[in-house]
Amino acid sequence: MTAAPRVLLAPDKFKGSLTASEVAAALAAGIAAVRPDAEIRRVPIADGGDGTVDAFVAAGWERVETIAPGPTGVPAPAAYAVRGDTAVVELAEVVGLLKLPGGQFDPLGAGTEGLGVVIADALDRGATHIVLGLGGSASTDGGAGLLRALGARVLDAADLELPSGGAALARATRIDRSGLHPKAAAARFTLACDVDNPLLGPKGAVAVYATQKGADAEQRTILEAALTNWANLLGPEFAERPGAGAAGGTGFGALAVLGARVRSGIEVLLELLDFPALLRDATLVVTGEGALDAQSLHGKAPIGVCHAARTAGVPVVAVAGRVQLPLDALHTAGFTTAYSLSDLQPDPARSMANAAQLLEQVGARIAEQEL
């Protein structure tokens, strides 16, 4: 009698449709319907953006609830994940685009103060390693708000503190670090992100991402000038580092003042979850995201999962709303094959609306064809 298959489900979210946990649940239901004997383990994943804290909580980390200012200063519930001396804080969960009141952009005034509030809470609770997931930011403030909430003071020529937001940084002449949170200096900061943009220039935070945050051409000019001044104040050498432009320049502020280190978001997550241990007894890994395309090949979560699985000698298949990679590219990346919801429902709107049911059907197909 053959042993029961052991399936590890490690999908990312299907953006705008389902969370990673919901994707895993739907796939599990489909697989179990065909192979009730299968041992299914669900490990939803993320790459530092939306859903990062939820991924750690699903893996058994403690969820810590707090209140922190959103990107426009309005207090709102926020959460982070803790295990031992490590805290995982997700920018999107605190000051991301989804936290904008009424969805109203504030490209010049939005800030990252709430992120600093959450980090301070984690430090006060004893965390000595802060993993900061960068992505989905609503602001372009160069991390100034984050540093301000940790006790730094950003001052103008009259030695007055500047207001929140990226535009105000044009008037910054000095940063006073004397009041910085005493535990911040001793803590280790890891920036988990999947972008390598510098702070300034044609590939920088403003040029690439500010439009997504509501900035028009004039506002982008204002923000670029403000961040240039901010970079000269904190250290131009940090502005050039890959990842400095992540999350509206939050990466830069953390690099320059907190001594942070930038790492691939999915690599950090898989390491902290001890993913190799989860793979030891697996006979198949299933991963995926909303769209599997050329961009996915550049450090996105499913590629990280695929690499880890192949390294362990476990076959891995992908599931996506749309698969826009040819079969040879999938094979080169390490996937056995890929399943697309668009094959079952070509209409994108219907596919997104019925993603859970379609994923159950895909799960059943995987059980029939791969197990």
Side-chain angles (χ1 to χ4, degrees):
M1 184 176 177
T2 58
R6 292 175 175 171
V7 184
L8 183 63
L9 301 178
D12 198 353
K13 63 186 173 297
F14 278 36
K15 196 164 188 175
S17 184
L18 297 174
T19 66
S21 292
E22 290 168 341
V23 173
L27 288 169
I31 292 170
V34 175
R35 289 296 303 265
D37 61 324
E39 296 180 23
I40 302 170
R41 181 152 194 179
R42 296 183 238 168
V43 186
I45 55 152
D47 57 11
D50 303 7
T52 296
V53 166
D54 287 342
F56 280 94
V57 172
W61 288 47
E62 179 189 356
R63 182 183 183 93
V64 179
E65 303 277 353
T66 187
I67 300 291
T72 59
V74 179
Y80 58 97
V82 173
R83 173 174 282 177
D85 63 359
T86 299
V88 176
V89 180
E90 175 191 322
L91 182 146
E93 158 73 16
V94 188
V95 291
L97 287 164
L98 295 176
K99 292 288 188 170
L100 285 167
Q104 294 297 308
F105 294 121
D106 186 6
L108 301 183
T112 52
E113 281 80 359
L115 197 59
V117 169
V118 173
I119 290 172
D121 191 79
L123 292 171
D124 290 340
R125 287 173 179 265
T128 57
H129 181 202
I130 305 292
V131 177
L132 183 51
L134 299 182
S137 165
S139 62
T140 310
D141 78 343
L146 156 67
L147 300 175
R148 186 182 286 115
L150 284 174
R153 298 171 69 218
V154 183
L155 305 166
D156 66 11
D159 245 17
L160 298 174
E161 289 204 45
L162 292 174
S164 181
L169 296 176
R171 308 198 308 275
T173 59
R174 186 166 73 89
I175 179 169
D176 177 1
R177 311 183 193 202
S178 62
L180 201 64
H181 195 296
K183 294 183 178 178
R188 187 160 50 100
F189 290 86
T190 298
L191 306 183
C193 72
D194 63 351
V195 302
D196 57 5
N197 306 76
L199 179 67
L200 305 169
K203 295 183 179 178
V206 174
V208 178
Y209 299 109
T211 303
Q212 302 170 12
K213 303 165 190 181
D216 60 25
E218 182 181 354
Q219 291 169 326
R220 293 195 297 274
T221 299
I222 291 169
L223 288 168
E224 183 73 11
L227 287 187
T228 300
N229 182 55
W230 183 234
N232 290 332
L233 200 63
L234 292 191
E237 68 275 18
F238 296 106
E240 298 168 5
R241 292 193 186 176
T250 302
F252 168 73
L255 286 165
V257 177
L258 301 177
R261 177 186 176 203
V262 177
R263 292 189 58 198
S264 157
I266 186 59
E267 286 182 13
V268 171
L269 184 136
L270 295 180
E271 183 180 292
L272 290 175
L273 294 182
D274 196 9
F275 203 69
L278 299 176
L279 288 167
R280 280 189 199 121
D281 297 324
T283 51
L284 179 70
V285 172
V286 182
T287 187
E289 62 182 345
L292 197 63
D293 53 25
Q295 190 179 0
S296 302
L297 300 177
H298 298 285
K300 290 289 190 177
I303 299 299
V305 170
C306 182
H307 178 73
R310 298 304 293 165
T311 299
V314 182
V316 55
V317 300
V319 176
R322 301 185 316 279
V323 176
Q324 297 173 311
L325 292 172
L327 196 57
D328 60 341
L330 289 166
H331 289 164
T332 299
F335 295 105
T336 303
T337 189
Y339 294 80
S340 175
L341 302 194
S342 62
D343 291 341
L344 300 173
Q345 174 50 264
D347 181 82
R350 290 183 180 180
S351 180
M352 289 182 71
N354 299 306
Q357 296 93 318
L358 295 172
L359 282 164
E360 281 197 39
Q361 294 178 46
V362 168
R365 285 192 180 186
I366 290 171
E368 292 164 355
Q369 298 174 12
E370 311 293 338
L371 301 181

